[in-house]
Structure formats: structure tokens, C-alpha cells
Amino acid sequence: MAAALAASACLAWPTWALSWEPTKPVTLVIPAGTGGGADQMARFIQGVVQKHNLMKQPLIVINKAGGAGAEGFLEMKSSANDPHKITITLSNLFTTPLGTGSPFNWKDMKPVAMLALDQFILWTNSEKPYKTTKDYVDAVKAGEDRSFKMGGTGSKQEDQIVTAAIEEQTGGKKFTYVPYAGGGQVAVQLVGNHVDSTVNNPIEAVGQWRAGQLRPLCIFDAKRSTYTNKVTDKEAWSDIPTCKETGLPVEYQMLRGIFTTKNAKPEQVAFYVDLLKKVMATPDWKDFMEKGAFNQTFMSGPDFEKWLTSAETLHADLMKKNGFLATQ
């Protein structure tokens, strides 16, 4: 089974005179725990805005990870008339309401922009004997059912969806899926050999890869990464084969986007689009994108809303297939 989220770059946005700007500090809500990909990107954006003086008012970052991010999303929903709140989103934008029954939908907010699509990589501990994806999948097939542990961020979220897709290629053998609060904790658990593998985003495990503690087996994308600079002494992101290349036909990418509150006016949304474009024009952003091996896809306006509608349907289908819906 191949689960693919594809998008095309689109920089178009209606030309609104930037007649509005924040009159008080802007709160950037992170609907996820500390140390993970969303947290790292949000705090990076905060730092760039401050470093380059891109906004007159401060940008304040807060984590609200409760209920698989529902706490953060519900705060945004209840703040419908406050344009001084924005949130960074990942695919729990779809999976959390579908998997928990939380009374929230992405339409309860106003889309601002897709910043990038984040990759997933199959990681193992470098002390393990698995040199290739085939080595690892063959070991799972030969082992007892659920004897291999897959660490991931949350339950019924992106990591578990990818795990379920891998299980379709393991001859009926299931993983014991072990959920953690954030991607940073997941990487630490794999380094400590408390789990056998993870599907962490690149930025969540790059430090441990560079330190020689983790080994990337394959990337869940249709094409290899375009980043060719060496991350370790020997390897670049582009050296990691696609999972399909290695005989594991699974593809999945995750949204990294920004939303504001539902009743934000066009000129308020336009302010945030302009702000993000300024962030993305900095050398800092280029370096951050390469460090995390991001798929640099930008989208705003109607095209972004169309992509969101399609992605919601895809996630609903995947979660229904795997019994992850709250109604199942």
C-alpha cells in the first residue's frame, strides 16, 4: 500500500495592501510536545522573526500537546475572533479529530500557508545488524508476532499510520507500537534500544545520525532527497534510498503549515503570508530546510485549501482501513 501526499508549489496570493499588522504580541500555538518536528520549526520561525526584526510585536511560542494536539486546536477554535493567534500544523490536523472524536475540524481555522512537506525515514539503532530495509523487514517476518517494537509519536497519528502501512509488507507480522509524547523522545528511546525502529522525521533524528547512534534505512517518498551535502562523514540525505527502491512500497509525507483563527480578515491572513515569505527568504530558512531534509513545497490561498480537502479525505480513508477512527 502506498500512501502519498503530493503537492505542487504555488506562491500566488491575492494582492492585499498590508493595511493590518498585529497590535499586540502574536501567540504561536504548537499542538505537539517539545523536541519534535513541529516544535523545532515553530521555535526556529520565532528565532528568525526576532533575529531579522520581521515583526514589530513579539512572537510568543507555547506548546499545547494534550489530547494528541486537541488542546491546541480547540484553543484556536475558541479564539475565532482573535487574529493575534496562529498555529503550526502537522497531519494531526486531520488524525486527531478523526482518531479521538475531538469536536474540531481544520475548517475551524483559517489556512495561511503550507511551509513544507516533512519526510519520514525508517530508522534503526546503528548497533543492530540491519544494514538495509530488506534486512529489517526479513527479520520482522521471521520473528514472533509483535516481537519487534516500533516507537512513534502518539497513537493513531502519522507514525502509527506509516507503521500500519509497513505491516502490510511483513507477511502478517505486526509491530508492538510504542507511543511517546514527541519525536525527540522517540529518537532517545531508539538510541537506548528500548524500541527496535522508528519512522521519525529527519530533523528529529539528525543529531543521533550524525553522532553515529542511528542508521537510516529508507525514506518514505517517491524520490530521493535532493540534499547532497554530507550530514555524516560518509552520507548525505540523498544517499538514503526510497523505501520503494528497497522493496517496501510505502510513501507518506506530513504537512508543516500555518493557520490563524477562523474569522481572520483577508488583510490579516495576507500579513502572515507576507511574514512567512520573509522568513523563507532568509539564509537561515535554507539551512533549516536542508538540515531537516524537507520537501520545499509552499502553498497558500485556494490551492492550499484544495490540498487540505484532499489530504483530509486521504487520512480518513487510511484511518478507516486500519481501524483508527474514533467511531470504529
Side-chain angles (χ1 to χ4, degrees):
M1 188 275 290
L5 287 182
S8 60
C10 178
L11 298 176
W13 182 261
T15 305
W16 298 94
L18 295 180
S19 57
W20 180 88
E21 61 181 321
T23 57
K24 64 180 183 179
V26 173
T27 300
L28 172 50
V29 178
I30 307 171
T34 58
D39 182 70
Q40 291 187 54
M41 181 175 280
R43 295 181 186 278
F44 173 80
I45 291 172
Q46 179 193 39
V48 172
V49 169
Q50 180 178 350
K51 174 183 176 181
H52 296 281
N53 196 26
L54 300 180
M55 192 167 65
K56 294 178 182 178
Q57 295 290 337
L59 182 61
I60 300 170
V61 173
I62 59 171
N63 293 82
K64 288 189 174 290
E71 178 186 6
F73 291 134
L74 291 174
E75 173 163 330
M76 293 296 294
K77 180 179 179 179
S78 67
S79 304
N81 295 316
D82 183 2
H84 292 84
K85 282 188 179 179
I86 58 176
T87 186
I88 188 165
T89 57
L90 48 159
S91 295
N92 66 349
L93 180 71
F94 314 113
T95 58
T96 291
L98 289 167
T100 67
S102 176
F104 169 81
N105 184 273
W106 66 266
K107 298 182 182 70
D108 293 321
M109 301 187 298
K110 184 67 62 70
V112 175
M114 174 192 290
L115 299 178
L117 291 171
D118 205 350
Q119 307 281 10
F120 286 77
I121 289 176
L122 179 61
W123 301 90
T124 62
N125 190 299
S126 58
E127 297 175 353
K128 298 290 186 179
Y130 320 115
K131 304 297 185 182
T132 66
T133 305
K134 185 177 185 303
D135 291 343
Y136 186 59
V137 172
D138 285 349
V140 174
K141 288 180 179 178
E144 296 293 326
D145 191 36
R146 301 187 187 278
S147 61
F148 282 78
K149 295 180 180 179
M150 177 75 80
T153 303
S155 297
K156 301 180 180 179
Q157 302 292 319
E158 303 91 348
D159 291 13
Q160 193 168 12
I161 289 174
V162 176
T163 300
I166 297 171
E167 288 173 340
E168 294 187 16
Q169 309 298 322
T170 55
K173 298 295 177 62
K174 301 289 186 181
F175 291 95
T176 293
Y177 181 78
V178 185
Y180 296 98
Q185 186 179 359
V186 173
V188 170
Q189 295 300 310
L190 183 56
V191 170
N193 278 316
H194 301 294
V195 293
D196 299 290
S197 57
T198 71
V199 291
N200 257 2
N201 304 125
I203 200 169
E204 295 172 332
V206 64
Q208 291 85 354
W209 181 32
R210 187 177 288 115
Q213 298 169 313
L214 298 183
R215 176 182 296 126
L217 297 180
C218 67
I219 188 168
F220 294 95
D221 197 353
K223 298 180 180 179
R224 291 195 183 201
S225 172
T226 59
Y227 299 106
T228 58
N229 290 334
K230 297 298 183 186
V231 178
T232 69
D233 292 341
K234 297 180 179 179
E235 292 182 290
W237 292 116
S238 58
D239 292 320
I240 303 172
T242 68
C243 294
K244 186 175 182 179
E245 280 181 66
T246 65
L248 184 64
V250 180
E251 297 174 23
Y252 187 89
Q253 294 184 12
M254 181 168 64
L255 171 67
R256 297 292 185 194
I258 298 291
F259 284 65
T260 187
T261 48
K262 184 175 183 178
N263 295 330
K265 297 176 181 179
E267 60 266 28
Q268 293 166 335
V269 176
F271 172 86
Y272 290 120
V273 172
D274 184 68
L275 175 67
L276 293 169
K277 286 183 178 179
K278 290 176 180 176
V279 169
M280 297 171 73
T282 65
D284 312 72
W285 180 261
K286 180 181 178 180
D287 292 343
F288 183 80
M289 288 289 99
E290 181 164 352
K291 177 184 176 183
F294 289 96
N295 177 329
Q296 295 189 54
T297 299
F298 182 90
M299 193 177 292
S300 62
D303 288 321
F304 187 28
E305 293 192 20
K306 181 179 179 181
W307 185 92
L308 289 164
T309 300
S310 177
E312 180 181 35
T313 299
L314 172 60
H315 282 84
D317 291 344
L318 290 171
M319 293 181 72
K320 180 179 180 180
K321 180 178 182 179
N322 292 291
F324 293 165
L325 295 178
T327 54
Q328 290 178 297

